[in-house]
Coordinates of all heavy atoms in Angstrom, one line a residue:
M141 N -152.2 135.3 76.3 CA -152.9 135.2 75.0 C -152.4 134.0 74.3 O -151.2 133.8 74.1 CB -152.4 136.5 74.2 CG -153.3 136.7 73.0 SD -152.9 138.3 72.2 CE -153.5 139.4 73.4
P142 N -153.4 133.2 73.9 CA -153.0 131.9 73.3 C -152.5 132.1 71.8 O -152.8 133.0 71.1 CB -154.3 131.2 73.3 CG -155.4 132.2 73.3 CD -154.8 133.4 74.0
L143 N -151.8 131.1 71.5 CA -151.3 131.0 70.1 C -152.2 130.1 69.3 O -152.5 129.0 69.6 CB -149.9 130.4 70.1 CG -149.3 130.1 68.7 CD1 -149.0 131.4 68.0 CD2 -148.0 129.3 68.9
F144 N -152.6 130.7 68.1 CA -153.5 129.9 67.2 C -152.8 129.7 65.9 O -152.0 130.5 65.5 CB -154.8 130.6 67.0 CG -155.7 130.6 68.2 CD1 -155.8 131.8 68.9 CD2 -156.4 129.5 68.6 CE1 -156.6 131.8 70.1 CE2 -157.2 129.5 69.8 CZ -157.3 130.7 70.5
E145 N -153.1 128.6 65.3 CA -152.5 128.3 64.0 C -153.7 128.2 63.0 O -154.7 127.7 63.3 CB -151.8 127.0 64.0 CG -150.5 127.1 64.8 CD -149.7 125.8 64.8 OE1 -150.3 124.8 64.4 OE2 -148.5 125.8 65.1
Y146 N -153.4 128.8 61.8 CA -154.4 128.8 60.8 C -153.9 128.0 59.6 O -152.8 128.4 59.1 CB -154.8 130.2 60.4 CG -155.7 130.9 61.4 CD1 -155.1 131.4 62.6 CD2 -157.1 131.0 61.3 CE1 -155.9 132.1 63.5 CE2 -157.8 131.6 62.2 CZ -157.2 132.2 63.4 OH -158.0 132.8 64.3
R147 N -154.6 127.0 59.1 CA -154.2 126.3 58.0 C -154.9 126.8 56.7 O -156.1 126.9 56.7 CB -154.4 124.8 58.1 CG -154.0 124.0 56.9 CD -154.2 122.5 57.1 NE -153.2 121.9 58.0 CZ -153.5 121.2 59.0 NH1 -154.8 120.9 59.3 NH2 -152.6 120.7 59.8
C148 N -154.1 127.1 55.7 CA -154.7 127.6 54.5 C -155.4 126.5 53.7 O -154.9 125.4 53.6 CB -153.5 128.2 53.6 SG -154.1 128.8 52.0
Q149 N -156.6 126.9 53.3 CA -157.4 125.9 52.5 C -156.9 125.8 51.1 O -157.1 124.8 50.4 CB -158.9 126.3 52.5 CG -159.5 126.2 53.9 CD -161.0 126.6 53.8 OE1 -161.6 126.7 52.7 NE2 -161.6 126.9 54.9
E150 N -156.1 126.8 50.7 CA -155.7 126.8 49.3 C -154.4 126.0 49.1 O -154.2 125.2 48.2 CB -155.5 128.3 48.8 CG -156.7 129.1 48.9 CD -157.7 128.6 47.8 OE1 -157.3 128.0 46.8 OE2 -159.0 128.8 48.0
C151 N -153.4 126.3 50.0 CA -152.1 125.7 49.8 C -151.6 124.8 51.0 O -150.6 124.2 50.9 CB -151.0 126.8 49.5 SG -150.6 127.8 51.0
G152 N -152.4 124.9 52.1 CA -152.1 124.0 53.2 C -151.0 124.6 54.1 O -150.7 124.0 55.1
H153 N -150.6 125.8 53.8 CA -149.5 126.4 54.7 C -150.2 126.8 56.0 O -151.3 127.3 56.1 CB -149.0 127.7 54.0 CG -147.9 128.4 54.8 ND1 -146.6 127.9 54.9 CD2 -147.9 129.5 55.6 CE1 -145.9 128.7 55.7 NE2 -146.7 129.6 56.1
V154 N -149.4 126.6 57.1 CA -149.9 127.0 58.5 C -149.3 128.3 58.9 O -148.1 128.4 58.9 CB -149.7 125.8 59.5 CG1 -150.1 126.3 60.9 CG2 -150.4 124.6 59.0
T155 N -150.1 129.2 59.3 CA -149.6 130.5 59.8 C -150.0 130.6 61.2 O -151.2 130.3 61.6 CB -150.3 131.7 58.9 OG1 -150.0 131.5 57.6 CG2 -149.7 133.0 59.4
E156 N -149.1 131.1 62.0 CA -149.4 131.3 63.5 C -149.8 132.7 63.8 O -149.2 133.6 63.3 CB -148.2 130.9 64.3 CG -147.8 129.4 64.1 CD -146.6 129.1 64.9 OE1 -145.9 130.0 65.3 OE2 -146.3 127.9 65.0
F157 N -150.8 132.8 64.7 CA -151.2 134.1 65.2 C -151.4 134.1 66.7 O -151.9 133.1 67.2 CB -152.5 134.6 64.5 CG -152.4 134.8 63.0 CD1 -152.8 133.8 62.2 CD2 -152.0 136.0 62.5 CE1 -152.8 133.9 60.8 CE2 -151.9 136.2 61.1 CZ -152.3 135.1 60.3
L158 N -150.9 135.2 67.3 CA -151.3 135.3 68.7 C -152.5 136.2 68.9 O -152.5 137.4 68.4 CB -150.1 136.0 69.5 CG -149.0 135.0 69.9 CD1 -147.8 135.8 70.4 CD2 -149.4 134.1 71.0
E159 N -153.5 135.8 69.5 CA -154.7 136.6 69.6 C -155.6 136.1 70.7 O -155.4 135.0 71.3 CB -155.5 136.5 68.3 CG -156.0 135.0 68.0 CD -156.8 135.0 66.8 OE1 -156.8 135.9 66.0 OE2 -157.5 134.0 66.6
K160 N -156.6 136.9 71.0 CA -157.6 136.5 72.1 C -158.4 135.3 71.6 O -158.6 135.2 70.4 CB -158.5 137.6 72.4 CG -157.8 138.8 73.0 CD -158.7 139.9 73.3 CE -158.0 141.1 73.9 NZ -158.9 142.3 74.1
A161 N -158.9 134.5 72.5 CA -159.6 133.3 72.2 C -160.9 133.6 71.4 O -161.4 132.8 70.6 CB -159.9 132.5 73.4
D162 N -161.4 134.8 71.7 CA -162.7 135.2 71.0 C -162.5 136.1 69.9 O -163.5 136.7 69.4 CB -163.7 135.8 72.1 CG -163.1 137.1 72.7 OD1 -161.9 137.3 72.5 OD2 -163.8 137.7 73.4
A163 N -161.3 136.3 69.4 CA -161.1 137.1 68.3 C -161.7 136.6 67.0 O -161.8 135.4 66.8 CB -159.6 137.3 68.0
T164 N -162.2 137.5 66.2 CA -163.0 137.1 65.0 C -162.3 137.7 63.8 O -162.9 137.7 62.7 CB -164.4 137.5 65.1 OG1 -164.5 138.9 65.3 CG2 -165.1 136.8 66.2
G165 N -161.1 138.3 63.9 CA -160.5 138.9 62.8 C -160.1 137.9 61.7 O -159.9 136.7 62.0
K166 N -160.0 138.3 60.5 CA -159.6 137.5 59.4 C -158.1 137.3 59.4 O -157.4 138.2 59.8 CB -160.2 138.0 58.1 CG -161.7 137.9 58.0 CD -162.1 138.0 56.5 CE -163.6 137.6 56.4 NZ -164.0 137.6 55.0
H167 N -157.7 136.2 58.9 CA -156.3 135.9 58.8 C -155.9 135.4 57.4 O -156.6 134.5 56.9 CB -155.9 134.9 59.8 CG -156.2 135.4 61.2 ND1 -157.4 135.2 61.8 CD2 -155.4 136.0 62.1 CE1 -157.4 135.8 63.0 NE2 -156.2 136.2 63.3
Q168 N -154.9 136.0 56.8 CA -154.5 135.6 55.5 C -153.3 134.7 55.6 O -152.5 134.8 56.5 CB -154.1 136.8 54.7 CG -155.3 137.7 54.3 CD -154.9 138.8 53.3 OE1 -153.8 139.2 53.3 NE2 -155.8 139.2 52.4
C169 N -153.3 133.7 54.7 CA -152.2 132.9 54.6 C -150.9 133.7 54.2 O -151.0 134.6 53.3 CB -152.4 131.9 53.5 SG -151.0 130.9 53.0
E170 N -149.9 133.5 55.0 CA -148.7 134.3 54.8 C -147.9 133.9 53.5 O -147.0 134.5 53.1 CB -147.8 134.3 56.0 CG -147.2 132.9 56.3 CD -146.3 132.9 57.5 OE1 -146.2 134.0 58.2 OE2 -145.7 131.9 57.8
Q171 N -148.3 132.7 53.0 CA -147.6 132.2 51.9 C -148.3 132.6 50.5 O -147.6 133.0 49.6 CB -147.5 130.7 52.0 CG -146.8 130.0 50.8 CD -146.2 128.7 51.2 OE1 -145.3 128.5 51.9 NE2 -146.9 127.6 50.7
C172 N -149.6 132.4 50.5 CA -150.3 132.7 49.2 C -151.3 133.8 49.3 O -151.8 134.3 48.3 CB -151.0 131.4 48.7 SG -152.5 131.0 49.6
G173 N -151.5 134.3 50.5 CA -152.4 135.5 50.7 C -153.9 135.1 50.7 O -154.7 136.0 50.9
S174 N -154.2 133.8 50.6 CA -155.6 133.5 50.7 C -156.2 133.7 52.1 O -155.5 133.5 53.1 CB -155.8 132.0 50.4 OG -157.1 131.6 50.6
A175 N -157.5 134.2 52.1 CA -158.1 134.4 53.4 C -158.9 133.2 53.8 O -159.6 133.2 54.9 CB -159.1 135.6 53.3
K176 N -158.9 132.1 53.0 CA -159.6 130.9 53.4 C -158.7 130.1 54.3 O -157.9 129.2 53.9 CB -159.9 130.1 52.1 CG -160.8 130.8 51.2 CD -161.1 130.0 50.0 CE -162.0 130.7 49.0 NZ -162.3 130.0 47.8
T177 N -158.8 130.3 55.6 CA -158.0 129.6 56.6 C -158.9 129.0 57.7 O -159.9 129.5 58.1 CB -157.0 130.6 57.2 OG1 -157.7 131.7 57.7 CG2 -156.0 131.0 56.3
D178 N -158.5 127.8 58.1 CA -159.1 127.2 59.2 C -158.3 127.2 60.5 O -157.1 126.9 60.5 CB -159.4 125.7 58.9 CG -160.4 125.5 57.7 OD1 -161.3 126.3 57.7 OD2 -160.2 124.6 56.9
R179 N -158.9 127.6 61.6 CA -158.2 127.8 62.8 C -157.9 126.4 63.4 O -158.8 125.6 63.5 CB -158.9 128.7 63.8 CG -158.1 128.9 65.0 CD -158.6 130.1 65.9 NE -159.8 129.7 66.6 CZ -160.4 130.6 67.4 NH1 -160.0 131.8 67.6 NH2 -161.5 130.2 68.1
I180 N -156.7 126.2 63.9 CA -156.3 125.0 64.6 C -155.9 125.4 66.0 O -155.3 126.4 66.2 CB -155.1 124.4 63.9 CG1 -155.3 124.2 62.4 CG2 -154.7 123.0 64.5 CD1 -154.0 123.9 61.6
L181 N -156.3 124.5 66.9 CA -155.8 124.8 68.3 C -154.4 124.2 68.4 O -154.2 123.0 68.4 CB -156.7 124.0 69.3 CG -158.1 124.7 69.4 CD1 -159.0 123.8 70.4 CD2 -158.1 126.1 69.9
S182 N -153.4 125.1 68.5 CA -152.0 124.7 68.4 C -151.6 123.8 69.5 O -150.7 123.0 69.3 CB -151.1 126.0 68.4 OG -151.3 126.7 69.6
A183 N -152.3 123.9 70.6 CA -151.9 123.0 71.8 C -152.1 121.6 71.5 O -151.5 120.7 72.0 CB -152.7 123.4 73.0
F184 N -153.0 121.3 70.5 CA -153.3 119.9 70.1 C -152.9 119.6 68.7 O -153.1 118.5 68.3 CB -154.8 119.7 70.3 CG -155.3 120.0 71.7 CD1 -156.0 121.2 71.9 CD2 -155.1 119.2 72.7 CE1 -156.5 121.5 73.1 CE2 -155.5 119.5 74.0 CZ -156.3 120.7 74.2
A185 N -152.3 120.6 68.1 CA -151.9 120.3 66.7 C -150.5 119.6 66.6 O -149.7 119.9 67.5 CB -151.8 121.7 66.0
V186 N -150.4 118.8 65.6 CA -149.1 118.2 65.4 C -148.4 118.9 64.3 O -148.9 119.0 63.2 CB -149.3 116.7 65.0 CG1 -148.0 116.1 64.7 CG2 -150.0 115.9 66.1
R187 N -147.3 119.4 64.6 CA -146.6 120.2 63.6 C -145.9 119.4 62.6 O -145.1 118.5 62.9 CB -145.5 121.1 64.3 CG -144.7 121.9 63.4 CD -143.8 122.8 64.2 NE -144.5 123.8 64.9 CZ -144.5 125.1 64.7 NH1 -143.7 125.5 63.8 NH2 -145.2 125.9 65.4
E188 N -146.2 119.6 61.3 CA -145.7 118.8 60.3 C -144.2 119.1 60.1 O -143.7 120.2 60.2 CB -146.4 119.2 58.9 CG -147.8 118.8 58.9 CD -148.4 119.1 57.6 OE1 -147.7 119.0 56.6 OE2 -149.6 119.3 57.5
G189 N -143.4 118.1 60.0 CA -142.0 118.2 59.8 C -141.3 118.6 61.1 O -140.1 118.9 61.0
G190 N -142.0 118.7 62.2 CA -141.3 119.1 63.4 C -140.4 118.1 63.9 O -140.5 116.9 63.7
S191 N -139.3 118.5 64.6 CA -138.3 117.6 65.1 C -138.3 117.7 66.6 O -138.3 118.8 67.2 CB -137.0 117.9 64.6 OG -136.0 117.2 65.2
S192 N -138.3 116.6 67.3 CA -138.3 116.6 68.8 C -136.9 116.6 69.3 O -136.6 116.7 70.5 CB -139.1 115.4 69.3 OG -138.5 114.2 68.9
G193 N -135.9 116.5 68.4 CA -134.6 116.4 68.8 C -133.7 117.6 68.5 O -132.5 117.5 68.5
S194 N -134.4 118.7 68.2 CA -133.6 119.9 67.8 C -132.8 120.4 69.0 O -133.4 120.6 70.1 CB -134.5 121.0 67.3 OG -135.5 121.3 68.2
S195 N -131.6 120.7 68.9 CA -130.8 121.2 70.0 C -130.9 122.7 70.1 O -131.2 123.4 69.2 CB -129.3 120.8 69.7 OG -128.8 121.4 68.6
G196 N -130.7 123.2 71.3 CA -130.7 124.6 71.6 C -132.1 125.1 71.8 O -132.3 126.3 71.9
S197 N -133.1 124.3 71.8 CA -134.4 124.8 72.1 C -134.9 124.3 73.4 O -134.8 123.1 73.8 CB -135.4 124.2 71.0 OG -136.7 124.6 71.2
S198 N -135.6 125.2 74.1 CA -136.1 124.8 75.4 C -137.6 124.5 75.4 O -138.2 124.2 76.3 CB -135.9 126.0 76.4 OG -136.6 127.1 76.0
C199 N -138.1 124.5 74.1 CA -139.5 124.2 74.0 C -139.7 122.7 73.6 O -139.3 122.3 72.6 CB -140.1 125.1 72.8 SG -141.8 124.7 72.5
P200 N -140.4 122.0 74.5 CA -140.5 120.5 74.3 C -141.4 120.2 73.2 O -141.3 119.1 72.6 CB -141.0 120.0 75.7 CG -141.8 121.2 76.2 CD -141.0 122.4 75.8
T201 N -142.3 121.1 72.8 CA -143.3 120.7 71.8 C -143.0 121.3 70.5 O -143.6 121.0 69.5 CB -144.7 121.2 72.2 OG1 -144.7 122.6 72.4 CG2 -145.1 120.6 73.5
G202 N -142.1 122.3 70.4 CA -141.8 123.0 69.2 C -142.8 124.0 68.8 O -142.8 124.5 67.7
T203 N -143.8 124.3 69.6 CA -144.9 125.2 69.3 C -144.8 126.5 70.0 O -145.6 127.4 69.9 CB -146.2 124.6 69.5 OG1 -146.3 124.3 70.9 CG2 -146.4 123.4 68.7
C204 N -143.7 126.7 70.8 CA -143.5 128.0 71.5 C -143.3 129.1 70.6 O -142.5 129.0 69.6 CB -142.4 127.9 72.5 SG -142.6 126.6 73.8
P205 N -144.0 130.2 70.8 CA -144.0 131.4 69.8 C -142.6 132.1 69.8 O -142.3 132.7 68.8 CB -145.1 132.3 70.3 CG -145.3 132.0 71.7 CD -145.0 130.5 71.8
L206 N -141.8 131.9 70.8 CA -140.6 132.6 70.9 C -139.4 131.7 70.5 O -138.3 132.2 70.6 CB -140.4 133.2 72.3 CG -141.4 134.2 72.8 CD1 -141.1 134.7 74.2 CD2 -141.4 135.4 71.8
S207 N -139.7 130.5 70.2 CA -138.6 129.6 69.9 C -138.0 129.9 68.5 O -138.8 130.4 67.7 CB -139.0 128.2 70.0 OG -140.0 127.9 69.0
Ligands
ZN218 ZN1 -152.0 129.6 51.3

C-alpha cells in the first residue's frame, strides 16, 4: 500500500496517509483541520526541511512511514 502525502491548501502542512492508489476518501489537514488538500506522490516529493544526514535512520529518502 503506497504512502501518499496531502498538502493543505490553507496552511501548507503536509499530512501523510497510507491508502490504496484508487482511494477517494477525503483527508483533513492534521494541523488546521481543513479538507482542502492536494495529493502529492510522496515517491517524487521533496520533503521540506528534510535532512539527508540524520543518524540512526535506515531510510535513505526520509519518506519511509516507519522511520
Ligand atoms: Zn492545514
Side-chain angles (χ1 to χ4, degrees):
M141 190 174 294
L143 173 69
F144 292 103
E145 292 181 342
Y146 288 78
R147 177 178 286 127
C148 177
Q149 296 179 13
E150 299 293 335
C151 72
H153 181 76
V154 176
T155 305
E156 296 178 347
F157 295 97
L158 277 171
E159 64 178 13
K160 296 179 181 177
D162 60 352
T164 56
K166 290 199 171 186
H167 300 83
Q168 289 187 330
C169 172
E170 64 181 6
Q171 181 158 286
C172 75
S174 173
K176 296 180 181 177
T177 52
D178 291 324
R179 187 164 75 178
I180 308 166
L181 291 177
S182 62
F184 304 103
V186 177
R187 178 174 294 245
E188 294 182 29
S191 173
S192 60
S194 60
S195 61
S197 174
S198 61
C199 178
T201 63
T203 59
C204 295
L206 298 180
S207 64

